[in-house]
Amino acid sequence: MGVLEEKPRRLGGGQSRCPYCGLLQERVATLDQDWVLLEPDMKPLAHTVPAEHRWIELSDGRVTVYGVCPPDQSQRCRIDHRLACPAQPLPDLWPWLTSLRGENARRAKRQDDQEPPPPPEEWPDAG
């Protein structure tokens, strides 16, 4: 079987290149014995990131989603590389905002399709 070391070896995370943009992304273990690809060397303030996209680093190097709202104003977090990847579409972070943007696009199109009102027959005296 081989010689057993004093401590069992853990699979290291490391960095790899994103298949979409070619930039580095960091592979980090989660509390759920899974992996997540995070943006390297970026730790924004947690309150600026939507709750379901905040990855907080634990003392053992693993990360977990931090959904506390509102977080401490000085708390830092990590984000998925896919949020920062220039070659991938941004996910729907706020569905209500996406709906609003879609409705505004339809309203703007309807507004562009309408004929402008005719000018008044007599212009007001602007003095």
Side-chain angles (χ1 to χ4, degrees):
M1 296 270 294
V3 178
L4 185 62
E5 299 174 13
E6 288 181 23
K7 289 184 182 176
R9 287 186 294 153
R10 291 180 59 176
L11 289 174
Q15 292 186 335
S16 63
R17 297 245 175 233
C18 173
Y20 299 100
C21 69
L23 296 174
L24 288 176
Q25 53 190 358
E26 189 173 349
R27 184 176 184 228
V28 182
T30 69
L31 278 180
D32 302 327
Q33 282 89 39
D34 206 357
W35 297 94
V36 63
L37 297 170
L38 299 178
E39 184 69 10
D41 304 322
M42 182 177 189
K43 294 183 181 179
L45 290 169
H47 72 273
T48 64
V49 178
E52 62 274 7
H53 296 281
R54 287 183 206 133
W55 291 94
I56 302 298
E57 288 181 303
L58 304 174
S59 60
D60 64 358
R62 295 181 296 168
V63 294
T64 187
V65 172
Y66 187 67
V68 174
C69 288
D72 184 302
Q73 293 293 315
S74 63
Q75 176 74 50
R76 296 277 178 177
C77 68
R78 305 278 310 268
I79 61 168
D80 289 317
H81 170 72
R82 67 186 174 92
L83 296 178
C85 181
Q88 295 184 61
L90 192 61
D92 188 11
L93 298 179
W94 298 282
W96 64 267
L97 183 59
T98 302
S99 297
L100 177 63
R101 291 174 57 117
E103 179 57 30
N104 282 347
R106 287 187 290 277
R107 284 179 44 206
K109 183 167 177 17
R110 284 193 305 262
Q111 188 174 3
D112 289 343
D113 291 345
Q114 292 178 357
E115 293 277 330
E121 299 220 0
E122 187 175 309
W123 291 95
D125 183 14

